[in-house]
């Protein structure tokens, strides 16, 4: 059974979901959502023999702290993830990233210093210049950030989550997804993450990724309207040692649409 745990990173409590106690550790990174996106696959990954760890980035989800435009930039987040990972393991990292978490994962692999990444999976991730989408890019404007109330951001996130789920959702389920954004501190952190979103952080990695032979897996909901599957097709065609697994009928969070297919693809990849 999955459980929520905490560990100190940079003097602040960092929250993460995990399942299982044995097997290779797999670090699961979220983007404009929070660790909740990984919940549907955690138990299956653990049952397959992995130890999944879905962390809440600082200031987001259930983690303490508050992001700024500087600390929310992809290289800074990658540095923070390295410190989090170092608190759990000294082995080469197995990493999966969703949404903007995929940009952080790509930076962990190809961005320079830090522990080696032995395998990289991207799940409906940002790539190339596919991001930020308009609903995120608008928070680059300081005037928009200053004028946005908690209630307005909560309503915007409700729309985004409903679209991303790509299926009917109950009110309790939506409330569970949206709960962190009822906290003003989390709202400010999220708007910092949105304001710092910049495709140069993935475009700049393209040469290094094209030269990299680390095994890579793309798991993609084919009906995603935020990160269309054509971006995954391009990445799979251009990056060495990359396999694309399509999830038919799934949206931006395929873990919610077909958890068995997603967990099966990830488990097979990380246990090879």
């Amino acid at each position: 059974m999955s459980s929520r745990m905490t560990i100190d990173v940079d003097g602040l409590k960092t929250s993460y979901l995990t399942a299982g106690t044995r097997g290779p550790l797999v670090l699961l990174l979220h983007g404009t959502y929070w660790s909740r996106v990984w919940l549907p696959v955690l138990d299956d990954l653990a049952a397959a023999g992995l130890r999944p760890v879905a962390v809440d980035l600082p200031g987001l989800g259930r983690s303490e702290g508050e992001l700024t435009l500087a600390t929310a930039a992809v290289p800074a987040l990658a540095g923070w993830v390295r410190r989090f990972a170092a608190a759990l393991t000294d082995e080469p990292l197995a990493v999966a990233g969703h949404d903007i978490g995929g940009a952080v994962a790509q930076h962990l692999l190809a961005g320079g210093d830090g522990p080696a990444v032995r395998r990289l999976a991207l799940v409906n991730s940002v790539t190339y210049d596919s991001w930020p989408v308009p609903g995120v890019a608008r928070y680059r404007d300081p005037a928009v950030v200053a004028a946005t109330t908690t209630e307005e951001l909560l309503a915007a996130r409700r729309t985004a989550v409903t679209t991303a789920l790509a299926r009917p959702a109950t009110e309790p389920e939506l409330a569970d997804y949206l709960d962190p954004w009822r906290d003003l501190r989390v709202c400010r952190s999220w708007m910092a993450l949105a304001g710092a979103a910049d495709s140069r952080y993935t475009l700049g990695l393209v040469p290094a990724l094209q030269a990299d032979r680390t095994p890579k897996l793309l798991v993609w909901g084919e009906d995603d309207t935020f990160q269309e599957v054509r971006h995954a097709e391009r990445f799979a065609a251009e990056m060495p040692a990359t396999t694309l697994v399509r999830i038919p009928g799934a949206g931006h969070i395929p873990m919610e649409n077909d958890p068995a297919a997603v967990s099966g693809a990830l488990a097979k990849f990380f246990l090879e």
Side-chain angles (χ1 to χ4, degrees):
M1 289 288 293
S2 60
S3 60
R4 184 165 289 280
M5 304 182 72
T6 61
I7 192 170
D8 282 357
V9 180
D10 299 340
L12 297 171
K13 290 189 181 302
T14 294
S15 180
Y16 63 95
L17 287 169
T18 189
T21 58
R22 293 180 294 179
L25 187 148
V26 176
L27 186 58
L28 306 174
L29 304 178
H30 69 82
T32 54
Y33 302 86
W34 58 299
S35 60
R36 172 67 176 78
V37 297
W38 294 106
L39 182 60
V41 300
L42 291 183
D43 288 342
D44 284 348
L45 291 175
L50 295 167
R51 184 158 63 99
V53 171
V55 64
D56 284 327
L57 296 172
L60 299 171
R62 307 295 187 203
S63 286
E64 291 184 345
E66 184 173 331
L67 291 174
T68 65
L69 287 175
T71 59
V74 165
L77 289 175
W80 181 90
V81 170
R82 290 188 186 103
R83 296 192 294 278
F84 169 76
L88 297 178
T89 182
D90 56 3
E91 298 178 356
L93 299 179
V95 183
H98 175 253
D99 191 79
I100 291 178
V104 177
Q106 291 170 64
H107 197 88
L108 288 172
L109 173 65
D113 60 340
V117 173
R118 65 177 185 85
R119 284 183 175 258
L120 171 72
L122 301 177
V123 181
N124 289 78
S125 165
V126 301
T127 57
Y128 300 104
D129 59 353
S130 71
W131 65 301
V133 298
V136 170
R138 65 189 303 265
Y139 294 97
R140 288 177 168 181
D141 185 345
V144 171
V145 173
T148 300
T149 66
T150 300
E151 292 74 19
E152 289 169 339
L153 184 58
L154 191 61
R157 297 311 297 154
R158 181 187 181 93
T159 299
V161 168
T162 301
T163 302
L165 288 174
R167 60 164 174 74
T170 65
E171 280 300 319
E173 184 179 25
L174 285 174
D176 186 35
Y177 256 100
L178 296 172
D179 186 62
W181 287 287
R182 300 183 188 281
D183 184 334
L184 179 59
R185 174 186 60 86
V186 174
C187 287
R188 290 193 298 259
S189 288
W190 187 90
M191 288 190 286
L193 179 70
D198 194 326
S199 61
R200 66 190 171 99
Y201 295 126
T202 43
L203 286 171
L205 294 175
V206 168
L209 288 169
Q210 289 175 330
D212 185 85
R213 294 295 188 268
T214 301
K216 306 170 192 68
L217 173 70
L218 308 181
V219 179
W220 227 267
E222 288 190 325
D223 295 345
D224 188 356
T225 57
F226 293 114
Q227 296 298 321
E228 297 175 2
V229 70
R230 62 186 175 89
H231 300 298
E233 292 169 343
R234 177 185 174 190
F235 192 101
E238 294 185 0
M239 305 306 172
T242 299
T243 301
L244 170 59
V245 173
R246 301 165 180 267
I247 310 296
H252 187 56
I253 309 177
M255 294 78 80
E256 290 284 1
N257 304 115
D258 196 339
V262 174
S263 60
L266 291 174
K268 180 182 177 182
F269 175 68
F270 285 120
L271 288 170
E272 285 179 349

